[in-house]
Amino acid sequence: MKRLIGLHLGALCVAAILTGCPPAEPDAPGIYAKMGEPLPSATPEQLATFDRGLAVMQHRFDLKDGLGPSFNVTFCGACHERPTPGGSAALYRNFFISGTRTNDGALLLGDVGGIVRLFHYGPGDRPRPVIPSFKNVFTQRNPIPFFGAGLMAELSDEEIRSREDPDDLDGDGISGRPNFDRGFVGRFGRKAQVVSIEAFIRGPLFNHLGITTDPLSEEQRAALPVDSSAAGTEAKQAAAPDGPTLDDDGAPDPEMSTNDLFDLVSFAMLLALPEPEQLSLQGARGQYEFERIGCAKCHVPRLRGPRGLVPLYSDLLLHDMGEDLADGIEQGVATASEFRTQPLIGMAAVGPYLHDGRASTAHEAILAHGGEAQTARDAYAALDGRGQAALIEFLYSLGGRDQASTGLIAPNTPVPFAGEYGGPRRDLSAAEMAQFIRGRELFDRDFSKANGLGGPADALGGPRFNGDSCRACHIDPVFGGAGPRGVNVIRNGFVSNDGVFSPPAAIGTILHKEIIPGYDPAKPETGINVFEHRQTPPLFGLGLVDAIADATILALEDPDDADADGISGRAHVLPDGRLGRLGWKAQVPDTTEFVRDALGNEMGMTLEEEAGLTFGFTADTDDVPDPEVFADEEQDLAFFLAMLGPPPRQPGADSALALQGEALFAASALGCAKCHVPALSATIDGAPVAVPLYSDLLLHEILPEGAPGIEDTYAGMREFRTAPLWGISQTAPYLHTGAADTLDEAIRLHDGEAAAIRDAYEALPEAERRAVVAFLETL
Amino acid sequence: MRWIYRAAGPPRRWCFLCAALLLAAFHPGCVPVPNPPDGEGEPQMEGEGGIFLEGEGEGVVEGEGGGEGMPALEPVWRVAFTVQANGGLSAVWGSAPDDVFIVGGTTEQAWIYHFDGIEWSQMAAPAVPQLIWVFGFGTDNVYAVGLDGAVIQYDGLQWHILDSGTDEDLWGIWGTAPDDLWLVGGELTPGDPVILHYDGQVFAKWAAPENDRNATSLFKVWGIGDEVFAVGSTGLIIAFDGERWAQVPAGPAANDDFVSLWGTREDHIAAVGGRASGILSDFDGQAWSTRPVAPVPGLSAVYMGQDDEAIVGGQRGFVGHYNPETMELIEEAAPTDNLQFIHGVWGDDAGRHYAVGTRYIGVNTTTGFALVRTLEPPPERVR
């Protein structure tokens, strides 16, 4: 009976909303815009800083800029991309926090806030850095969105503390309490451990990128969109570390200027909130349930800031979320099981959910609530399907739904024209275009644990993966392209004293960077002694590469260097007789197998068994039924990649110089074109075409004599396929390891068979070296 | 806003020592402060030199303040002086109310200031980088330690450089006698903390004890009777038993650096620390007990002149007093702001306390400051 009364009351409320009650106090003016856009109240000067800050956010830091030497990502936007810069990210950007639980029970996070850095270049560590043995606590964190950060910064401590009830004096089972940072109420971070936006940006810049900064000066803090000077209206925003961050990577500190930092902080402060939708009848029912079952006790709809009411749907207080969500990490006064109430505004577009992204839907997230939220969670679970759907509808109506997608491609994004980056290699029929779009959506789609993400659990830990989508790694300069260093694949193996390579015993040579939430980071097998970075190769024009006849490639072989030119390329003929042509070691024969290989090895997705196809996995150990990707989906994906056009040539800055460089490149005196063959012939749709990929698709030894490496099938440790150069101007960094920031560096790092050519390049006058690079930049 | 951290306990009562008569003292090592008008690189003092004699004693009452018919005395913090050159002040210690030393400096050059009971003056400092801590046994036997292994000694006439044998930063010095001094330090980069012992002739390096906190530095050392402790990074506390140093438990809340410690008895010692938020630890003669004191920001300085009152200081210009017996920590009003960082506090026998630190303006743009705390009657209320 009580339930019926409740529903009737709810219905009355819904009716009241729809028919118009006395208007409640409106939300603060000038706070809503599309996600990724600035506050409408921003001044022209602030808009200029916003644009500059956006550029800083998307800037890829190179080694010469001071990246690392240990890092997780190379740019801020790597982790704050969903659905736009400033947002969250999918599981592939999860990071690990580690700590040490001491004998007397203290939890020490240690250097860089306990962040586990997953990549390293240069001396001092291996490509997948060693995790110190004294670390005995690990957890994962999913990146947090910044929308409305400036509005949160403006909230007074008193406003947040007005809802604290640490001893649950009102007996409602909810006992939120604030966290503190330097004397002020923390509000940023999963545990509200940080009060200042500047600190919340400088910390990750150092911890995740290895980019050092100086703190902003008082003068700069006073000029921020949220006055952050000690004497200003928001003095708490001055509560940031006053010391510089420093490292010893050879790049002068600070590695980001304070002007750039100012713009970046301004960008974050100016990000608007998405406007909640007008509630549908279902949404209004959901809002009623949201209030009725107690969600709003913590997810307080509105907090009062200096501009007026701000609809965060959070009290920004810490709440005990129960043992199942406890992550072992204590920050400030927050215990392992305490988390800040996550703001819900815009949640439709910023999944996955919860601190480690374990929930891919709001439904999963609610059911994972415990502790103080157990009662509300149980009440939700007790709702019938319509009630639950209504509540979810309400949550997804809280702004941003129109920007949500299954990946990063915004809804209704048109397909580029043929000839443009990201477009098909020719005009497509309607049916072909539909399949191309389906394939693109699959390429972009983020998979989750519920979809079967992650390979088999084994002695090394839980289900592992590198990316949760194809797009995760292939983003530069557009989806389908190469990837920055922060999505490198780390391969590992064992090389004996007499130079014999052995792969790890349990799994292949990939040492995955990610693992399903709940597991510690993957560690290499005992005894592994060789680690190697592998850059993400671009996928443009794969269909054209498929179309090159084996005979064309085999005709270029010279395994014994019969022509005595020092170059002895050989084809990578696979065990089943097929000719490998894709991958850094030419270990994959064609686009379809490449899709299967990546879905299996990089994402841990199982596939249907198909005649003639040998790559990928058909079964794993998770509880998602196999196959996790169906054959028709795989075919759509393969079609998308096969039809993805080759990279368009770029206009050079100096066409005369580029022409000179092209001539030098082709000249036998230099010899680049001996391996980087400008074009290979193919037959496409019955017509002969030249495929200008600047590669012979053969294996060459390009590492120094005796250098250890990773073998793959029949490709030796020092052997690599001649990397196609088409599109290379847009796919920095270079080489299989990504060790080269620039094309000039990449050429100078050639060795083995290419040593003589490298020497010849280095012997060129500087003007001619610049010409060669200018030519490459037109590719 | 002002913090009041109040643990369970009865309402606190103030307890005061009487103010002592100050005598001016002449120190040959002092050089009059030149106060150059545009002294770039030269510390330039500004402030109320000699303020301590002005009105000294007025309203100061012997015995317990707030006695019947007597006005309750309140602590009043004033700026003693500021130093406008880029650098900071780190520590304060004195042998007597008229013999107080403040040390600090820049990464290139140490600064030393002296109070003779009348005014502050700058002393000639040897060519060593910033000094971090100062401790001594009398007006003619004072030691200071600092960056890059710097150790200097004052003999009553001038400061001399001692060769510590290390180039690692030294953060603390304390001892029972001039031939029994402990020095501690270390770098913030991976490595073991530094422990040196000085017997008046030779600095001997002691191996840092094993610890499960991967601490790289010890920041302060202090002792009384048979209890000698050093505290440091990542919440490390080590104890010296007369023969060796060993880690002692600090408790689950000791999850951040301890920066300083002081006490009045073997069973009455307090350590303070924390970076973003403060932590405070008490030693009761048996064990250390640590607890967070948020929202109080990170604490870095403590001086305990009497059992029921420790003066503490830290980030964001925080100064306050802590009563280890009632576990109350109460912020005091002070002429500080969010940009100031208190590094050291100390009190004399006359009931006067000093706090020194650094004010941040921008990177490589800092100033030093010194505060003094006296006890005065509250302002007259207008009815």
Side-chain angles (χ1 to χ4, degrees):
Chain A
M1 188 59 192
K2 284 181 181 174
R3 175 71 188 279
L4 285 174
I5 292 171
L7 287 175
H8 286 309
L9 287 172
L12 285 173
C13 284
V14 171
I17 291 166
L18 294 177
T19 56
C21 334
E25 180 180 347
D27 293 334
I31 61 172
Y32 292 134
K34 291 279 190 188
M35 284 174 160
E37 293 183 1
L39 292 166
S41 57
T43 66
E45 187 179 352
Q46 288 173 340
L47 292 176
T49 63
F50 181 89
D51 290 341
R52 292 197 303 269
L54 175 59
V56 173
M57 190 180 192
Q58 299 293 65
H59 172 73
R60 268 76 161 162
F61 285 90
D62 280 330
L63 300 173
K64 66 178 182 302
D65 300 327
L67 175 70
S70 295
F71 62 92
N72 281 326
V73 291
T74 61
F75 62 111
C76 303
C79 289
H80 301 285
E81 63 178 4
R82 188 187 183 100
T84 67
S88 63
L91 284 177
Y92 81 108
R93 293 298 192 188
N94 268 20
F95 58 91
F96 296 93
I97 299 180
S98 65
T100 303
R101 182 70 66 183
T102 63
N103 293 332
D104 57 3
L107 188 278
L108 304 171
L109 296 182
D111 292 341
V112 297
I115 300 299
V116 176
R117 291 163 158 180
L118 294 171
F119 299 105
H120 179 89
Y121 280 88
D125 214 329
R126 60 192 197 199
R128 172 64 36 86
V130 175
I131 297 174
S133 58
F134 53 79
K135 295 283 190 177
N136 53 23
V137 176
F138 296 92
T139 190
Q140 292 190 40
R141 291 284 168 84
N142 185 245
I144 209 163
F146 270 77
F147 304 117
L151 303 172
M152 291 164 63
E154 290 175 347
L155 294 171
S156 71
D157 286 6
E158 291 73 19
E159 170 65 7
I160 299 172
R161 297 195 69 171
S162 68
R163 293 171 182 81
E164 69 176 310
D165 184 18
D167 300 318
D168 192 18
L169 294 179
D170 62 4
D172 67 349
I174 306 297
S175 51
R177 63 178 182 142
N179 206 344
F180 296 101
D181 178 19
R182 295 172 171 80
F184 299 97
V185 174
R187 56 202 68 201
F188 299 111
R190 295 288 181 182
K191 304 226 177 195
Q193 70 272 18
V194 178
V195 64
S196 147
I197 292 180
E198 178 188 335
F200 201 55
I201 287 175
R202 288 189 63 213
L205 273 172
F206 186 65
N207 298 342
H208 289 290
L209 281 79
I211 294 297
T212 59
T213 54
D214 285 347
L216 296 177
S217 68
E218 265 295 273
E219 187 178 8
Q220 287 173 309
R221 286 173 177 171
L224 286 168
V226 179
D227 181 353
S228 302
S229 63
T233 53
E234 301 300 337
K236 57 184 174 294
Q237 285 300 306
D242 289 340
T245 46
L246 305 167
D247 63 20
D248 56 358
D249 58 9
D253 298 320
E255 293 155 350
M256 175 184 283
S257 71
T258 52
N259 286 340
D260 281 353
L261 179 63
F262 174 87
D263 291 336
L264 194 54
V265 175
S266 296
F267 169 80
M269 287 180 166
L270 289 168
L271 279 169
L273 286 173
E275 184 167 15
E277 300 168 14
Q278 185 87 26
L279 286 179
S280 65
L281 195 59
Q282 185 189 30
R285 159 85 191 279
Q287 182 185 39
Y288 162 74
E289 297 290 2
F290 183 83
E291 299 271 353
R292 187 185 68 81
I293 67 176
C295 306
K297 289 179 179 174
C298 303
H299 291 285
V300 173
R302 283 164 175 78
L303 301 184
R304 184 172 295 281
R307 301 165 189 254
L309 295 176
V310 181
L312 293 177
Y313 286 84
S314 168
D315 57 8
L316 299 180
L317 295 173
L318 298 174
H319 295 275
D320 187 329
M321 294 296 289
E323 285 309 305
D324 287 346
L325 282 177
D327 66 353
I329 298 296
E330 299 154 6
Q331 291 176 295
V333 302
T335 64
S337 61
E338 284 183 312
F339 294 89
R340 179 196 69 164
T341 305
Q342 180 64 21
L344 299 181
I345 188 161
M347 73 174 293
V350 297
Y353 308 110
L354 300 176
H355 65 278
D356 55 8
R358 70 178 67 182
S360 55
T361 65
H363 175 76
E364 290 175 25
I366 297 170
L367 292 180
H369 279 52
E372 294 177 38
Q374 187 70 46
T375 302
R377 177 254 178 227
D378 292 346
Y380 170 81
L383 291 175
D384 61 18
R386 291 175 62 189
Q388 290 186 355
L391 198 148
I392 299 299
E393 163 60 22
F394 168 65
L395 295 177
Y396 287 158
S397 77
L398 297 177
R401 179 155 48 182
D402 58 337
Q403 293 176 270
S405 76
T406 56
L408 276 187
I409 296 178
N412 305 315
T413 298
V415 171
F417 292 112
E420 294 179 349
Y421 259 123
R425 58 181 162 82
R426 61 167 169 77
D427 291 335
L428 301 178
S429 68
E432 288 173 330
M433 180 58 81
Q435 187 174 16
F436 187 86
I437 290 173
R438 288 199 305 274
R440 187 179 72 161
E441 190 278 327
L442 275 162
F443 187 85
D444 181 45
R445 185 191 300 176
D446 294 315
F447 288 85
S448 70
K449 181 183 175 186
N451 304 129
L453 179 68
D458 55 30
L460 295 181
R464 296 180 292 275
F465 58 99
N466 279 324
D468 56 0
S469 68
C470 306
R471 176 265 308 150
C473 298
H474 296 278
I475 59 172
D476 281 335
V478 299
F479 298 160
R485 292 182 175 99
V487 289
N488 277 4
V489 172
I490 300 294
R491 289 189 181 263
N492 69 152
F494 175 75
V495 177
S496 65
N497 290 336
D498 51 0
V500 176
F501 176 84
S502 306
I507 55 172
T509 58
I510 294 177
L511 181 57
H512 295 92
K513 87 181 178 77
E514 299 290 347
I515 197 162
I516 291 296
Y519 293 92
D520 294 351
K523 294 178 182 173
E525 289 181 14
T526 303
I528 294 296
N529 60 1
V530 178
F531 297 82
E532 191 173 271
H533 286 278
R534 290 287 172 83
Q535 276 283 105
T536 303
L539 306 178
F540 303 115
L542 291 191
L544 300 181
V545 177
D546 284 346
I548 298 168
D550 286 359
T552 303
I553 299 169
L554 292 169
L556 298 171
E557 270 199 300
D558 183 17
D560 301 319
D561 192 16
D563 60 4
D565 66 349
I567 306 298
S568 51
R570 68 181 183 94
H572 193 176
V573 180
L574 303 176
D576 60 7
R578 287 183 293 175
L579 186 62
R581 59 183 72 197
L582 303 179
W584 284 107
K585 299 263 187 182
Q587 73 273 21
V588 183
D590 58 40
T591 300
T592 300
E593 292 283 41
F594 190 87
V595 166
R596 292 177 65 89
D597 183 58
L599 284 170
N601 283 312
E602 309 292 352
M603 297 171 61
M605 306 296 292
T606 57
L607 301 157
E608 288 189 53
E609 195 162 331
E610 294 179 72
L613 299 178
T614 61
F615 284 72
F617 301 103
T618 55
D620 61 16
T621 56
D622 61 31
D623 52 9
V624 178
D626 300 316
E628 293 155 351
V629 175
F630 293 102
D632 58 340
E633 294 175 310
E634 172 196 322
Q635 287 155 14
D636 288 344
L637 200 46
F639 179 81
F640 165 69
L641 288 177
M643 294 308 297
L644 194 59
R649 291 288 291 259
Q650 301 297 304
D654 185 335
S655 56
L657 189 67
L659 278 174
Q660 181 193 358
E662 184 168 14
L664 285 164
F665 184 90
S668 59
L670 191 55
C672 304
K674 290 178 182 175
C675 301
H676 292 286
V677 176
L680 299 179
S681 59
T683 302
I684 305 287
D685 300 330
V689 296
V691 181
L693 76 165
Y694 286 86
S695 170
D696 59 7
L697 298 177
L698 298 175
L699 295 175
H700 297 272
E701 291 190 335
I702 63 156
L703 296 186
E705 189 75 36
I710 306 296
E711 290 184 357
D712 198 325
T713 319
Y714 297 138
M717 289 189 287
R718 298 169 56 217
E719 282 186 313
F720 289 87
R721 180 193 68 159
T722 304
L725 299 184
W726 59 359
I728 197 166
S729 65
Q730 307 297 306
T731 58
Y734 305 110
L735 301 178
H736 66 283
T737 61
D741 283 347
T742 65
L743 291 164
D744 177 70
E745 287 175 26
I747 298 169
R748 292 172 189 269
L749 284 171
H750 279 58
D751 211 312
E753 291 180 38
I757 296 166
R758 175 204 62 205
D759 293 345
Y761 170 80
E762 291 182 332
L764 289 175
E766 182 184 352
E768 293 187 1
R769 291 200 304 270
R770 280 196 285 113
V772 172
V773 171
F775 160 65
L776 294 173
E777 288 173 345
T778 67
L779 293 179
Chain B
M1 83 175 261
R2 296 290 167 182
W3 301 273
I4 297 180
Y5 171 83
R6 199 179 294 272
R12 65 183 305 281
R13 285 175 60 84
W14 288 93
C15 180
F16 302 113
L17 294 175
C18 65
L21 178 67
L22 299 180
L23 296 174
F26 175 70
H27 275 261
C30 297
V31 175
V33 175
N35 280 349
D38 297 306
E40 272 194 30
E42 291 288 330
Q44 179 182 354
M45 291 173 64
E46 293 179 350
E48 304 174 62
I51 61 170
F52 314 118
L53 289 185
E54 296 173 6
E56 192 63 46
E58 289 180 10
V60 178
V61 181
E62 289 194 28
E64 295 250 326
E68 192 173 337
M70 304 297 291
L73 299 181
E74 292 185 352
V76 175
W77 287 93
R78 292 191 183 89
V79 175
F81 66 88
T82 58
V83 185
Q84 294 303 316
N86 277 335
L89 300 178
S90 308
V92 51
W93 175 89
S95 68
D98 59 355
D99 185 36
V100 182
F101 298 84
I102 287 177
V103 299
T106 69
T107 52
E108 285 79 36
Q109 178 57 50
W111 303 338
I112 307 170
Y113 297 92
H114 183 263
F115 182 62
D116 61 7
I118 298 176
E119 64 183 1
W120 289 96
S121 57
Q122 186 174 10
M123 304 180 80
V128 294
Q130 182 175 12
L131 295 168
I132 304 295
W133 205 242
V134 57
F135 176 78
F137 300 97
T139 188
D140 60 354
N141 198 358
V142 184
Y143 300 83
V145 300
L147 301 182
D148 302 341
V151 181
I152 60 174
Q153 182 189 13
Y154 182 62
D155 61 8
L157 295 174
Q158 58 185 331
W159 290 88
H160 306 273
I161 297 177
L162 302 181
D163 182 4
S164 69
T166 181
D167 60 0
E168 294 187 85
D169 296 339
L170 296 174
W171 299 92
I173 180 170
W174 172 90
T176 61
D179 62 354
D180 181 27
L181 276 164
W182 291 103
L183 298 81
V184 297
E187 305 287 341
L188 300 180
T189 50
D192 289 334
V194 173
I195 302 175
L196 301 178
H197 185 266
Y198 183 57
D199 64 3
Q201 301 293 323
V202 176
F203 289 91
K205 187 164 188 175
W206 285 51
E210 286 188 7
N211 74 84
D212 66 352
R213 292 171 177 267
N214 300 294
T216 62
S217 295
L218 289 164
F219 293 128
K220 294 295 173 286
V221 55
W222 190 90
I224 188 168
D226 290 336
E227 300 289 0
V228 181
F229 295 101
V231 299
S233 57
T234 63
L236 175 64
I237 301 179
I238 61 174
F240 184 65
D241 65 2
E243 292 186 357
R244 66 186 187 94
W245 290 92
Q247 182 183 4
V248 295
N255 58 5
D256 208 340
D257 299 346
F258 282 122
V259 186
S260 194
L261 77 166
W262 209 292
T264 55
R265 301 191 311 265
E266 288 177 308
D267 60 354
H268 202 71
I269 304 171
V272 300
R275 296 298 181 183
S277 293
I279 56 173
L280 212 156
S281 194
D282 293 294
F283 181 71
D284 63 3
Q286 300 297 320
W288 287 90
S289 174
T290 305
R291 63 190 180 284
V293 292
V296 172
L299 297 172
S300 50
V302 58
Y303 170 80
M304 199 185 305
Q306 54 199 51
D307 285 352
D308 64 352
E309 183 178 83
I311 304 300
V312 298
Q315 297 192 39
R316 305 293 140 202
F318 180 91
V319 287
H321 57 263
Y322 166 65
N323 185 336
E325 296 178 346
T326 64
M327 298 176 78
E328 287 180 330
L329 172 57
I330 297 180
E331 185 181 19
E332 297 178 356
T336 58
D337 63 27
N338 271 335
L339 302 176
Q340 286 173 289
F341 194 132
I342 308 286
H343 297 302
V345 294
W346 178 80
D348 64 21
D349 292 340
R352 190 176 294 108
H353 290 87
Y354 301 90
V356 299
T358 302
R359 185 170 193 272
Y360 170 85
I361 298 171
V363 168
N364 303 319
T365 313
T366 57
T367 59
F369 65 89
L371 308 177
V372 60
R373 175 187 187 262
T374 56
L375 299 173
E376 298 179 2
E380 189 174 331
R381 289 201 175 90
V382 178
R383 292 181 183 275

